[in-house]
Amino acid sequence: MAKTENLLEQIARIESETGIPRTIFAACPNSVSVVRAAFRAAKRNNAPIYFAATLNQIDCDGGYTGLTPAEFVRLARIEAEAVNFTGPAIIAIDHGGPWLKDKQSIERWSAEDAMEGVKKSFEAAVEAGYDLIHVDPTVDIYVPKGEIIDIRVVVGRTVELIAHVERFRRAKGLPAISYEVGTEEVHGGLADETTFDRFLTGLKEGLAKAGLADVWPCFIVGKVGTDLHTATFDPAVARALTARVRPYGSYIKGHYTDGVSNPEQYPLCGMGAANVGPEFTMSEYDALAELEVREREMDREGRVAQLSHITDVLKRLVCESNRWRKWLHGEEVGREFDALTPERQMWLVKTGCRYIWQSPEALVARQTLYANLRRAGYDPEEVVLGRIERDMDKYFHAFNLINLNDLLR
């Protein structure tokens, strides 16, 4: 049995014995600090950890973290060993599909080239030892604006990608992996209940025709009220979607769980797992900004030779990257950064830092900041990791994951 299905099966067994439902916490590995903090938090909470990595973050070209799939798997192993973490650690692709990698969309790759690019990324992930792939062909840049992609196309591309991975995996004699399908985005069409059902029926039939009746996704992404700009989970919708997918043997997976106001409702509604990503970039930024305040205090005391100016550097690099434009609201599109409200500028900088953490200037600014504080007896990395871990801890608690590792066989 694949690792993810095994974990889900054990969680279901433990719930039947204890009456306590649980939801798997998935962290988006948008920086090395987040990966390190995740293993430390998982170790302290004695719980499994799940990494959901987009192809923008980690891919054959290094992504914006600079890590290939093989390097990421090695990094995860090294960080786990550093804290003697021996519990389950799931490594997954998040939103793997044509044009979901920014490069493909910006350069307007053809459908054939985009699909081939995704297949190569999936192959690299499988060879590296990933445990799960989120197959998400719900975007098509050639569908006219305002129209929704035909669900039959979504089903066809989903089957094609899963079939490709299975042929590749089996030919290489590699272990079984798990799948996640669907999207929380309206453009994918799955937000509509009727289309959601058509997708499930079509996928079942398509996999059977491809000779893959034994393959089925353990997670189906559901639109449960959260997105990048809202933070309220809808229990009624979650329960309804769960009731739809459990007969298939699947669980609903929540995305955009960042800063959600009622995370304790997730396990109560039968949610299988939930992703959290940009929130931890904001945690990392806030910790660095906090350290910079102390650095400036030390500078006024004559204890700093050269200031890091880290928040100014980060803001400039995010602006220069232009990746903040991807997250503009409709009425903001076309505006320059300085024309946005101060609140929106700060949000875009805090969440956009994930794109530039590994740039040389950002690395130098961070090291300058760390060096200044270390001379004064501080441990700046502990401050940063502690802030990220604190924000992860609430999910381990809300999802009833504390000491789960002791109950796993």
Side-chain angles (χ1 to χ4, degrees):
M1 183 182 295
K3 184 192 292 186
T4 312
E5 273 89 343
N6 181 41
L7 179 57
L8 288 166
E9 186 176 281
Q10 292 208 59
I11 288 174
R13 170 185 60 81
I14 294 166
E15 181 180 355
S16 69
E17 296 169 356
T18 64
I20 299 174
R22 292 171 169 87
T23 297
I24 299 171
F25 161 56
C28 202
N30 45 44
S31 75
V32 173
S33 295
V34 168
V35 175
R36 185 168 298 148
F39 275 112
R40 287 165 46 126
K43 173 68 175 181
R44 187 178 57 259
N45 289 294
N46 193 23
I49 187 63
Y50 180 130
F51 293 103
T54 70
L55 297 181
N56 282 319
Q57 288 166 345
I58 297 165
D59 199 5
C60 305
D61 60 2
Y64 62 70
T65 63
L67 295 168
T68 65
E71 290 169 342
F72 178 46
V73 170
R74 285 198 295 272
L75 174 65
R77 185 185 70 248
I78 290 167
E79 294 297 342
E81 290 173 351
V83 293
N84 193 33
F85 177 80
T86 57
I90 294 170
I91 296 180
I93 284 180
D94 185 36
H95 287 297
W99 302 292
L100 287 173
K101 187 176 174 70
D102 290 345
K103 178 181 175 66
Q104 291 188 1
S105 179
I106 293 168
E107 297 178 359
R108 299 191 65 80
W109 288 22
S110 68
E112 182 180 357
D113 289 343
M115 286 288 283
E116 285 304 308
V118 172
K119 289 174 182 177
K120 286 183 171 59
S121 297
F122 286 0
E123 290 175 4
V126 171
E127 282 196 299
Y130 276 46
D131 305 295
L132 181 145
I133 293 177
H134 176 197
V135 180
D136 181 13
T138 57
V139 167
D140 191 323
I141 64 172
Y142 295 105
V143 171
K145 189 174 181 179
E147 294 185 18
I148 293 176
I149 185 173
D150 189 327
I151 199 63
R152 292 170 296 183
V153 174
V154 176
V155 170
R157 288 175 178 169
T158 301
V159 171
E160 180 182 346
L161 290 171
I162 291 177
H164 179 82
V165 172
E166 285 300 303
R167 284 194 300 270
F168 179 83
R169 179 188 69 78
R170 296 176 189 191
K172 294 277 186 176
L174 297 170
I177 66 166
S178 305
Y179 294 96
E180 173 181 339
V181 298
T183 181
E184 74 290 347
E185 303 283 10
V186 174
H187 58 59
L190 301 192
D192 173 76
E193 292 181 5
T194 301
T195 310
F196 189 88
D197 290 337
R198 287 178 57 203
F199 173 76
L200 293 178
T201 302
L203 182 60
K204 194 79 173 175
E205 294 173 352
L207 289 172
K209 288 179 182 177
L212 297 171
D214 59 327
V215 176
W216 185 252
C218 60
F219 292 128
I220 298 173
V221 181
K223 189 172 178 60
V224 290
T226 59
D227 60 34
L228 197 61
H229 306 293
T230 61
T232 303
F233 171 72
D234 191 328
V237 171
R239 288 192 182 94
L241 290 176
T242 295
R244 274 183 161 83
V245 304
R246 287 303 294 132
Y248 288 87
S250 302
Y251 290 85
I252 291 294
K253 176 90 168 292
H255 286 218
Y256 292 130
T257 312
D258 308 76
V260 69
S261 59
N262 51 343
E264 70 285 348
Q265 290 291 322
Y266 277 65
L268 297 176
C269 297
M271 296 290 291
N275 291 1
V276 186
E279 179 178 351
F280 302 136
T281 298
M282 299 178 80
S283 305
E284 191 166 353
Y285 177 94
D286 286 340
L288 293 170
E290 174 188 325
L291 291 170
E292 187 182 30
V293 170
R294 181 60 188 133
E295 180 194 39
R296 290 186 179 278
E297 291 173 351
M298 291 166 53
D299 180 58
R300 288 192 291 271
E301 298 164 0
R303 301 166 63 192
V304 171
Q306 180 186 39
L307 286 169
S308 66
H309 299 288
I310 189 161
T311 55
D312 289 339
V313 170
L314 294 176
K315 179 179 179 179
R316 177 170 54 79
L317 291 174
V318 170
C319 290
E320 291 174 355
S321 75
N322 277 322
R323 298 183 83 155
W324 54 272
R325 296 183 185 277
K326 179 179 178 181
W327 306 109
L328 292 177
H329 296 155
E331 70 278 6
E332 297 171 335
V333 174
R335 293 186 194 175
E336 291 306 311
F337 190 85
D338 291 341
L340 302 173
T341 66
E343 294 76 17
R344 282 293 288 153
Q345 289 184 34
M346 181 54 69
W347 186 90
L348 290 166
V349 169
K350 283 187 176 185
T351 59
C353 278
R354 64 189 188 271
Y355 299 122
I356 53 87
W357 284 136
Q358 292 302 110
S359 71
E361 283 188 83
L363 292 172
V364 168
R366 186 189 293 247
Q367 289 310 309
T368 301
L369 175 68
Y370 281 12
N372 287 337
L373 291 164
R374 286 192 183 110
R375 291 190 191 99
Y378 293 94
D379 189 337
E381 186 179 25
E382 280 296 315
V383 174
V384 173
L385 295 177
R387 179 58 182 265
I388 300 170
E389 289 174 52
R390 184 202 72 177
D391 292 334
M392 289 180 172
D393 283 348
K394 67 183 176 186
Y395 296 105
F396 284 109
H397 282 269
F399 293 168
N400 297 328
L401 297 172
I402 310 302
N403 291 323
L404 174 59
N405 288 351
D406 287 342
L407 303 176
L408 298 174
R409 291 171 181 165

